[in-house]
Amino acid sequence: MFQRKNALHPFEDETNLEFFSKKNDSSLFVFGSHSKKRPHNLIMGRMYDGHVLDMVELGIDNSKSLDSFHVPKCPVGTKPCLLFAGEPFEHDNEYKRVKNLLIDFFRGPVVENIRLAGLEHVMMFTAVDGKLLIRSYRILLKKSGTKTPRIELEEMGPSFDLTVRRTKLASDDLFKLAKRQPKEAKPKKTKNISQDVFGTKLGRIHMTPQDLSTLQTRKMKGLKRAHAKDTADDSTAEKLSKEEAGTDSADE
């Protein structure tokens, strides 16, 4: 993507990182590097208002690629189910922020409903003994003899054993401000108007019952004469029925 060598040191100088992020309109970034002091280094972070919000430096102790696992893989673009295990994610403020950062990276599109058969991919993040372990599993639905299937997990890769080296986290006030959603971005709810999954706007209109007898149709001579003849026949029949009713009462 870049034609020149760019010396990036995010923890020492964020200027170049913020420039490239703004240039590529990217709010999330991953930066990999390798040096004698920090071998196999991985920096993950996110931006807010053109500046670095959170940044965490991870050291890769061990890793396995997708090709190392000779099992079927999930289709590309499958929304993963994220699982977090370990007390640091619940009690350590630093790991809480790392957890929030990982969710931003891997959560995929936000959905309202979930189909059981659509759950195919699980990403497991475990914090233990100062390590961050990342595992990726494929969900297998097995027959259980009941309506609820039996779940089995099959590791499909990739997997990483990481060590948290350095972090640069935003203050609580700035982080709270970054989570605030602007009013312009919030969808306005309009009565009787909705959208389907494809973004098509659908509207519901409530109308009073229509009197079809007063509906104006195209005037045609043939239809007019037939209508007049039917009206005359109805009037004659009604007159005859009245006369018969009068005769019957007179006989009595």
Side-chain angles (χ1 to χ4, degrees):
M1 180 181 292
F2 306 113
Q3 301 298 326
R4 296 182 301 174
K5 292 184 178 180
N6 301 280
L8 295 178
H9 303 282
F11 277 86
E12 285 74 26
D13 184 13
E14 304 172 358
T15 307
N16 291 335
L17 191 63
E18 293 173 351
F19 169 76
F20 287 120
S21 178
K22 187 176 182 180
K23 182 178 179 181
N24 295 278
D25 191 22
S26 175
S27 59
L28 299 172
F29 65 88
V30 178
F31 176 73
S33 62
H34 179 75
S35 63
K36 186 177 181 180
K37 185 177 181 180
R38 291 186 175 86
H40 310 296
N41 206 43
L42 191 67
I43 299 177
M44 303 175 68
R46 53 188 169 185
M47 315 291 289
Y48 170 68
D49 197 20
H51 301 284
V52 174
L53 179 68
D54 291 328
M55 191 162 47
V56 56
E57 184 180 65
L58 304 169
I60 303 176
D61 300 327
N62 188 24
S63 66
K64 291 183 179 180
S65 65
L66 281 168
D67 296 334
S68 301
F69 299 86
H70 304 285
V71 295
K73 307 297 191 295
C74 291
V76 177
T78 302
K79 182 179 175 62
C81 176
L82 305 181
L83 300 179
F84 292 86
E87 291 186 1
F89 286 131
E90 301 296 332
H91 305 291
D92 192 298
N93 292 329
E94 186 175 277
Y95 273 86
K96 285 182 180 179
R97 194 68 63 84
V98 172
K99 174 183 176 180
N100 188 271
L101 177 63
L102 292 172
I103 291 175
D104 274 355
F105 263 94
F106 298 105
R107 68 176 181 176
V110 179
V111 296
E112 296 181 357
N113 300 317
I114 298 177
R115 184 170 60 94
L116 179 60
L119 291 175
E120 302 181 46
H121 186 198
V122 172
M123 293 192 68
M124 185 77 181
F125 303 90
T126 306
V128 56
D129 298 333
K131 301 283 185 179
L132 178 60
L133 310 180
I134 301 178
R135 300 293 184 266
S136 182
Y137 300 95
R138 177 170 169 260
I139 298 178
L140 303 178
L141 302 179
K142 301 289 187 178
K143 293 182 179 180
S144 62
T146 62
K147 292 183 179 180
T148 305
R150 180 168 55 88
I151 305 299
E152 290 186 3
L153 298 180
E154 182 181 54
E155 188 172 1
M156 65 176 187
S159 67
F160 299 94
D161 296 348
L162 308 175
T163 302
V164 179
R165 291 176 175 171
R166 290 185 293 178
T167 59
K168 187 173 184 180
L169 307 177
S171 62
D172 293 338
D173 294 337
L174 180 59
F175 184 68
K176 185 177 180 180
L177 180 63
K179 293 194 300 180
R180 185 179 302 171
Q181 188 177 10
K183 294 182 179 179
E184 294 77 8
K186 295 181 180 179
K188 295 182 179 180
K189 292 185 178 180
T190 307
K191 189 176 180 180
N192 297 329
I193 294 180
S194 60
Q195 287 187 348
D196 59 11
V197 293
F198 301 104
T200 305
K201 185 181 291 186
L202 305 176
R204 178 178 295 179
I205 301 175
H206 298 274
M207 298 181 64
T208 57
Q210 295 182 345
D211 186 3
L212 300 180
S213 62
T214 60
L215 184 64
Q216 182 66 38
T217 58
R218 184 179 178 183
K219 295 182 179 179
M220 295 180 62
K221 292 183 179 180
L223 295 177
K224 189 174 182 181
R225 290 174 184 172
H227 179 68
K229 185 178 179 181
D230 294 340
T231 305
D233 293 341
D234 293 340
S235 300
T236 303
E238 185 178 355
K239 187 176 181 181
L240 290 174
S241 62
K242 288 182 178 179
E243 290 177 354
E244 290 178 357
T247 304
D248 294 340
S249 60
D251 293 341
E252 293 177 357

